[in-house]
Amino acid sequence: MPVESREATSALTEAYVPDFFTAQPALSSHEDLFQMICAIRDEPNRKREELSKRQFQAGTQGVMRSTVMSDQNRSMNIAASVLFLTNCGTSYDCADFVEDGGSSITWRDNVTAKDFVSEAYPKNLHPYFDEASDDYKGADVISTIIATKLVKSGFVFEPTNDLRSHLSITYNKREKVVRIFHGVAVLKEMLLASQINKDSCMIPRTVALEVLYTIHHVLFPSDRASQALLSTLVRKRQFDRSLLQYEMARYRRDDDPDITYSYFGTRFSEIYDEMQDPTPRAGWESWLQKYSSPRYMLMATMIGVFIAVILGFLGLAVACVQTWVSYQQWKHPVKQP
């Protein structure tokens, strides 16, 4: 298992706290978690409720496991989170999966693992990447969304272990944060394994390939500046070192489709739109944005016209006074002594 996968698994299991009233915890070792993951992977067409019953109906010696339902559900969520590389309803204290702005997806009891993956990673081709759409601008988007350009536009990057959070944007008072899934070694291992056994990869190959492509071909291409930025992120922002090693041809199969950004194209479009029309973050920028909308521009124009009329009347009044004073001086001249 790759290093970052072990670290993510370790973080989840360390955060696992069994139910106080259970006679025996659902997870007593990493081996229990591994067996649960294998059970889900080996029977992808079996519903979660059935998998849970088979797992907890009997222990290794055929003895009934005395675990409460809440603890069983908690352990199943942890196993699913590790296997599907996303937050499947893990406990709120599992900080590696529950992040600011992140969201979990529930694996329901009557849904199979295969159907759950389809729900977790739906295809959604954005018009920017649809060649049949009038809004198609794929080449422009890709040439714009380069990490070095994003940094100059005020973006910062953070690593995430949640695959569904890849390329998501969150905002704080001063920064626009783009999350990047940095556990690429796990994806590489999945792709290599599925070259031999197509059923060994629970995550769709197109999703894994698209994530690798978005990182190594779009955000961080092979030019010196992009690679220097990537090295800095690995060194200073705790991105995984596996990001520095990449060879696309090694992980592709002959039957793999071309990359069309059908999974993460919407995220790219959000970043692109943000670069074209930045969301104001500072106080004065927010005020300027608020009062620069069309209705406020019209209001400002009307106020300007009103002020101009008032100034015109004041100017006319001053001119009348000056004329009156001049007339009085002409009519009643002051004699010099």
Side-chain angles (χ1 to χ4, degrees), residues 9 69 202:
T9 304
M69 184 61 65
M202 291 299 299

Side-chain angles (χ1 to χ4, degrees), residues 32-312:
D32 290 341
L33 178 61
F34 179 73
Q35 291 180 359
M36 198 174 300
I37 292 174
C38 291
I40 300 173
R41 183 198 61 189
D42 294 340
E43 298 185 274
N45 294 315
R46 190 177 293 275
K47 297 179 181 179
R48 171 185 166 128
E49 184 178 17
E50 297 174 355
L51 288 170
S52 181
K53 287 181 178 180
R54 288 168 61 92
Q55 183 69 21
F56 295 103
Q57 184 176 5
T60 56
Q61 302 298 328
V63 180
M64 191 74 175
R65 284 196 177 186
S66 302
T67 57
V68 296
M69 184 61 65
S70 61
D71 200 26
Q72 294 179 15
N73 290 332
R74 188 180 298 113
S75 61
M76 285 290 289
N77 288 340
I78 293 176
S81 297
V82 174
L83 181 60
F84 302 132
L85 303 179
T86 190
N87 179 15
C88 299
T90 52
S91 177
Y92 63 85
D93 54 357
C94 297
D96 279 1
F97 276 84
V98 182
E99 303 160 313
D100 294 337
S103 61
S104 64
I105 179 171
T106 302
W107 182 11
R108 302 182 303 278
D109 288 339
N110 61 342
V111 176
T112 65
K114 186 176 181 179
D115 291 338
F116 172 75
V117 171
S118 299
E119 293 180 3
Y121 301 100
K123 280 189 175 183
N124 184 19
L125 184 61
H126 193 273
Y128 284 177
F129 296 96
D130 185 0
E131 295 183 358
S133 172
D134 295 336
D135 296 328
Y136 174 75
K137 54 178 73 174
D140 187 27
V141 173
I142 296 304
S143 63
T144 302
I145 303 180
I146 299 177
T148 52
K149 293 182 179 180
L150 294 180
V151 170
K152 292 179 181 179
S153 299
F155 289 84
V156 296
F157 302 104
E158 285 187 357
T160 178
N161 289 321
D162 191 339
L163 189 60
R164 293 176 65 248
S165 295
H166 180 58
L167 299 178
S168 61
I169 308 178
T170 55
Y171 300 91
N172 55 36
K173 294 182 179 180
R174 295 184 179 182
E175 296 177 328
K176 293 171 283 190
V177 181
V178 177
R179 290 194 174 94
I180 299 177
F181 180 78
H182 70 137
V184 295
V186 181
L187 298 180
K188 294 175 183 178
E189 292 296 329
M190 287 183 174
L191 290 172
L192 291 176
S194 61
Q195 289 180 350
I196 303 174
N197 181 8
K198 294 183 179 181
D199 298 329
S200 63
C201 183
M202 291 299 299
I203 305 299
R205 282 185 56 86
T206 47
V207 172
L209 289 171
E210 192 168 310
V211 171
L212 294 178
Y213 204 89
T214 57
I215 294 174
H216 295 287
H217 289 264
V218 181
L219 292 173
F220 303 98
S222 58
D223 62 276
R224 181 176 299 179
S226 298
Q227 293 302 307
L229 175 59
L230 182 58
S231 298
T232 300
L233 293 175
V234 171
R235 187 172 64 257
K236 295 183 178 181
R237 300 301 294 269
Q238 297 182 339
F239 279 73
D240 194 83
R241 295 189 62 84
S242 60
L243 288 169
L244 300 176
Q245 301 174 354
Y246 176 69
E247 184 182 354
M248 188 68 174
R250 182 183 178 191
Y251 307 106
R252 291 186 66 93
R253 288 195 321 224
D254 294 337
D255 59 343
D256 285 329
D258 295 333
I259 303 298
T260 59
Y261 306 103
S262 56
Y263 290 97
F264 295 99
T266 300
R267 300 278 174 82
F268 268 159
S269 67
E270 293 172 357
I271 299 174
Y272 175 80
D273 291 340
E274 177 64 26
M275 292 189 69
Q276 302 304 312
D277 185 18
T279 302
R281 307 313 307 163
W284 68 270
E285 290 180 345
S286 299
W287 183 91
L288 182 62
Q289 176 71 15
K290 179 180 178 181
Y291 292 99
S292 63
S293 59
R295 61 174 180 171
Y296 286 111
M297 289 296 293
L298 178 60
M299 184 183 298
T301 302
M302 295 178 62
I303 293 174
V305 172
F306 180 72
I307 293 175
V309 172
I310 293 177
L311 292 176

